[in-house]
Amino acid sequence: MSPDFEEEFLRQRSTNIHELSNDPLRVLISSAMWIDGGYWFPYAFLFTVFLAQAERWLGTVRWLIVCVASHVLATLASEGALLGAVRRGLAPESAVNTLDIGVSYSLAGVIAVLTYRIAAPWRYPYLAAVLVFYGLPVLGDPTLTQCGHFLSVVIGLGCYPLVRGRGKTRNPKETLATPRG
């Protein structure tokens, strides 16, 4: 695609305030089908390491609930906060058209919910790493996307009732010590 066509194509699938106001269901679904920037290899790696493992553990329905809840709730909360900032004059009016696409909110929520798959005490360093990775950017001068990612992590952690009792937790020490043959 030409850069101009690509930008318009993605803008129509963006979960920005303008598109959410016009057709929220369409953009919430279509936005989650795209990756920002066109670099698919890191996403293929992350999908394999996190999303596939979570779906295998949770089953498709529960995994999808975590994905949808993270994507939809973080999008609505972050775009709602941006709308409030625009209305109070803290953000420019043009912010209603900010490009906001991608599956990264779902990915962040799933990465967070996998905390419950790891046995203690290993779960705590994992959780700390997730909170640092997604939380540090919010402490500076956060962007809409950084806030959305952190909200997705909180939402993923809030999905504990969905994952409670979903099989034995994994102990990395035992997994690494088990001989394969």
Side-chain angles (χ1 to χ4, degrees):
M1 289 188 226
S2 71
D4 291 337
F5 181 75
E6 180 182 16
E7 184 175 337
E8 183 57 29
F9 179 84
L10 293 176
R11 191 162 311 287
Q12 291 174 3
R13 286 147 185 85
S14 173
T15 51
N16 61 38
I17 296 166
H18 175 76
E19 294 297 332
L20 280 169
S21 298
N22 291 329
D23 197 351
L25 188 58
R26 177 185 61 81
V27 295
L28 284 167
I29 293 169
S30 64
S31 170
M33 302 299 152
W34 296 96
I35 56 173
D36 192 15
Y39 299 105
W40 62 268
F41 186 74
Y43 283 96
F45 174 78
L46 294 170
F47 287 3
T48 302
V49 171
F50 297 105
L51 291 183
Q53 301 306 314
E55 184 180 11
R56 184 172 175 217
W57 170 48
L58 296 173
T60 301
V61 172
R62 290 173 191 219
W63 168 82
L64 193 57
I65 290 170
V66 174
C67 288
V68 170
S70 299
H71 176 69
V72 171
L73 296 175
T75 296
L76 295 178
S78 59
E79 292 293 339
L82 180 60
L83 178 59
V86 169
R87 288 185 175 163
R88 289 189 308 276
L90 301 172
E93 186 71 33
S94 62
V96 300
N97 290 309
T98 300
L99 189 62
D100 185 19
I101 61 155
V103 69
S104 62
Y105 290 175
S106 291
L107 182 60
V110 168
I111 287 171
V113 82
L114 281 170
T115 299
Y116 304 119
R117 179 68 167 143
I118 303 168
W122 305 100
R123 125 179 347 164
Y124 305 114
Y126 177 85
L127 177 59
V130 170
L131 292 174
V132 166
F133 183 82
Y134 288 107
L136 278 181
V138 177
L139 296 177
D141 188 18
T143 65
L144 170 79
T145 303
Q146 291 166 339
C147 292
H149 286 143
F150 188 74
L151 283 170
S152 297
V153 166
V154 172
I155 292 163
L157 292 171
C159 288
Y160 177 72
L162 281 174
V163 304
R164 184 178 35 228
R166 293 298 301 169
K168 185 178 178 243
T169 57
R170 296 279 173 115
N171 185 333
K173 185 177 177 182
E174 291 173 6
T175 303
L176 293 173
T178 304
R180 305 260 183 214

